[in-house]
Amino acid sequence: MSVSDLVNSEMSAAEGMPVDRPVLRVEDLSIGFDGVTVVNSVSLDVRRGEVVGMVGANGSGKTTLLRTVAGLLTAESGEVRIDGLLAAQSRSSSAKVEISNSERARKMAYMPQLAESHPFTTLETVLMGRYPHLGRFELEGSADREMAWRAMERTSVVEFADRKLDTLSGGERQRVVMARVLVQAAELLLMDEPTASLDLRHQILTMDLVREEASERNVGAVVILHDLSLAARFCDRLVLLLEGRKIADGTPWKVLTPENLRVAFGVEGLVEPDPVTGKPHVLLLGTENSGREDLVGAGRTVHLICGAGSGRALMHQLRVAGYTVTAGVLGIGDSDREAAERLGIEYVGAPPFSSVTDDQHESHLKLVEAADHVVLLPMAVGMNNVRNVEAALVSSNLLVIEPPGAGGGIGDDVVGDYTDGMASRLRRQMIERVGEIPESTLLFELARGAL
């Protein structure tokens, strides 16, 4: 049998499966060790042609879940089905497994987090991927060897064909194991950090191969990844785990949000379209414990003209990103003032609901002039605080934030102009000079300004 005949015969089984049936279905899977629950009631579907990325912090249960799906661990409860057949029996279930170990090996290929090291050659290791397709005493044929050779070409390990695996580097061994996964020609690929030991070029090549397998052979793939931008680029869906629970499942745009980054990873980050691919690109700003000198905002000052809570979130994000933050005139009882005090941010204090005095205005202007960037946020403006808006006029590096949900001016209901139009006119004057941007893009604009 030729290699093309082998590939076609192994693809035909997948093509004959019902289109609407997921190749993998995980239902309410719970896994524990020594009385500690590591994976808690996780459900997951993977369809043919789909690449699903599994993301989450260390210890969130990703590897445990994948190893259980692969049949290497036993769940406390729940089910794992491959093509509708029960593939794993939990301790709490009496249902009979409907798939044999040999059939599991033909349907499912598992790539571990760490590539093994042993004295077999690269070619011998790759050919091991053909064992599930051979009879009990059957040896590899020429077609199997041709498939192995082609897989080694795709993973750029042909030059290591006769070298023993224990003489290769970690990244080289990882590519050899990837070649073995390819020749296994399984209908479901389970891959635990396949890019972890690879340089940048081979990270892209490896994920290209996963994408090709899903598209060209119509197989499903579950890939654990720590590089969120890489996951967003190559995966159709992402599943986010936190302490063993699934907290998000959907497109990369749906899952990779600043809130999810904060909750699941304990970091502040932003997500914007990659200028080349258009896929989500994650910019990590840091954490409260980051070394300040290493952060994007280190050595730079951002001044916020805000009030009534319009600047609270940005104060925190900017501080985490390493910026020194200052603020304008804030009265007692203003929620932005309370946030500034908690974060140790310098501002100009004022009594509640009082008009900005000359001294307060002069102090504010000094903060504006000392800042590298000045940000005017949408806020309610009355005659008592209109001088806050006037102060923005002296900035040579001003960023005006558009109101949420629209690109209108200060006179919009979402902002509130109580100055007979004076504040609106001032704001329009600044917009004509520098334009306006959504708040969601502000930190990207500031980061670009640092380059």
Side-chain angles (χ1 to χ4, degrees):
M1 182 182 289
S2 68
V3 64
S4 60
D5 291 335
L6 267 177
V7 173
N8 290 336
S9 66
E10 288 162 7
M11 287 181 64
S12 63
E15 292 170 351
M17 291 297 173
V19 175
D20 60 345
R21 176 189 291 172
V23 64
L24 171 66
R25 169 158 287 173
V26 176
E27 296 183 2
D28 294 324
L29 205 65
S30 291
I31 310 155
F33 304 104
D34 300 324
V36 177
T37 299
V38 178
V39 173
N40 196 334
S41 300
V42 171
S43 296
L44 169 68
D45 280 359
V46 179
R47 300 190 175 276
R48 295 184 180 279
E50 185 177 40
V51 178
V52 176
M54 195 178 298
V55 296
N58 290 335
S60 59
K62 303 183 301 297
T63 293
T64 299
L65 177 59
L66 205 66
R67 284 171 57 82
T68 304
V69 171
L72 301 175
L73 298 174
T74 301
E76 297 295 328
S77 61
E79 291 185 348
V80 175
R81 291 184 177 273
I82 301 175
D83 281 329
L85 301 175
L86 186 63
Q89 185 180 42
S90 64
R91 292 188 176 92
S92 64
S93 173
S94 59
K96 185 178 180 180
V97 173
E98 300 171 312
I99 184 172
S100 66
N101 289 336
S102 59
E103 188 176 5
R104 178 197 294 274
R106 289 191 292 272
K107 286 182 172 291
M108 180 190 300
Y110 172 69
M111 183 173 181
Q113 187 176 115
L114 297 175
E116 66 265 30
S117 178
H118 51 64
F120 292 101
T121 67
T122 291
L123 178 59
E124 290 168 340
T125 302
V126 175
L127 280 170
M128 291 175 187
R130 296 305 302 160
Y131 289 177
H133 302 279
L134 303 177
R136 186 172 181 182
F137 299 108
E138 185 179 1
L139 299 176
E140 309 94 351
S142 59
D144 297 305
R145 290 181 174 275
E146 187 178 343
M147 286 182 70
W149 199 260
R150 188 164 67 181
M152 290 191 296
E153 289 177 336
R154 294 174 70 189
T155 56
S156 303
V157 295
V158 169
E159 61 183 297
F160 312 134
D162 297 323
R163 283 183 57 183
K164 296 184 183 300
L165 213 63
D166 55 13
T167 69
L168 302 180
S169 71
E172 290 166 344
R173 291 199 305 271
Q174 196 84 340
R175 284 150 52 196
V176 172
V177 176
M178 181 66 190
R180 187 178 67 193
V181 167
L182 294 178
V183 301
Q184 194 169 336
E187 298 165 32
L188 175 64
L189 308 182
L190 304 175
M191 314 186 80
D192 193 348
E193 297 189 51
T195 62
S197 302
L198 303 181
D199 57 38
L200 292 175
R201 175 174 177 268
H202 287 102
Q203 287 180 25
I204 298 297
L205 290 176
T206 294
M207 291 309 299
D208 274 334
L209 289 174
V210 175
R211 186 76 262 172
E212 287 174 11
E213 289 292 291
S215 301
E216 296 177 9
R217 291 206 304 112
N218 197 33
V219 304
V222 182
V223 187
I224 294 176
L225 291 167
H226 278 294
D227 186 323
L228 300 179
S229 294
L230 193 69
R233 176 174 176 177
F234 288 98
C235 297
D236 301 296
R237 282 173 39 227
L238 297 180
V239 172
L240 176 59
L241 298 184
L242 173 63
E243 296 178 351
R245 290 186 178 274
K246 183 176 75 171
I247 64 169
D249 183 347
T251 66
W253 282 113
K254 179 181 177 182
V255 173
L256 297 179
T257 65
E259 176 64 18
N260 282 341
L261 294 176
R262 186 178 304 119
V263 170
F265 298 95
V267 300
E268 289 295 331
L270 295 171
V271 185
E272 71 169 354
D274 184 281
V276 177
T277 66
K279 300 295 181 66
H281 173 73
V282 178
L283 173 64
L284 296 179
L285 303 175
T287 71
E288 288 288 3
N289 298 320
S290 299
R292 310 309 290 177
E293 69 280 358
D294 298 326
L295 299 178
V296 65
R300 300 166 66 206
T301 299
V302 177
H303 180 77
L304 301 181
I305 299 177
C306 55
S310 62
R312 284 182 300 177
L314 270 179
M315 288 179 187
H316 178 73
Q317 290 180 341
L318 289 165
R319 281 289 303 253
V320 168
Y323 293 95
T324 298
V325 184
T326 59
V329 182
L330 298 171
I332 294 174
D334 191 305
S335 54
D336 278 343
R337 175 170 172 157
E338 294 172 358
E341 289 177 347
R342 287 197 308 270
L343 295 170
I345 288 172
E346 183 180 1
Y347 66 93
V348 180
F353 308 112
S354 64
S355 295
V356 176
T357 66
D358 289 343
D359 287 343
Q360 291 163 355
H361 187 56
E362 286 301 318
S363 297
H364 187 189
L365 290 177
K366 289 179 181 178
L367 292 177
V368 169
E369 292 167 351
D372 296 293
H373 303 276
V374 174
V375 179
L376 176 62
L377 287 153
M379 58 184 179
V381 181
M383 295 306 298
N384 64 319
N385 67 339
V386 71
R387 296 183 81 175
N388 267 348
V389 180
E390 290 177 351
L393 291 170
V394 306
S395 172
S396 60
N397 202 350
L398 177 66
L399 293 158
V400 180
I401 303 301
E402 66 184 26
I410 278 183
D412 290 353
D413 292 339
V414 294
V415 178
D417 181 357
Y418 305 100
T419 64
D420 292 328
M422 182 190 303
S424 296
R425 288 191 294 273
L426 287 171
R427 190 171 188 277
R428 290 192 195 100
Q429 180 181 341
M430 287 180 271
I431 291 173
E432 288 174 2
R433 177 161 62 94
V434 301
E436 61 180 346
I437 61 172
E439 184 175 328
S440 61
T441 68
L442 173 63
L443 273 82
F444 286 111
E445 295 295 331
L446 294 175
R448 290 189 186 100
L451 299 177

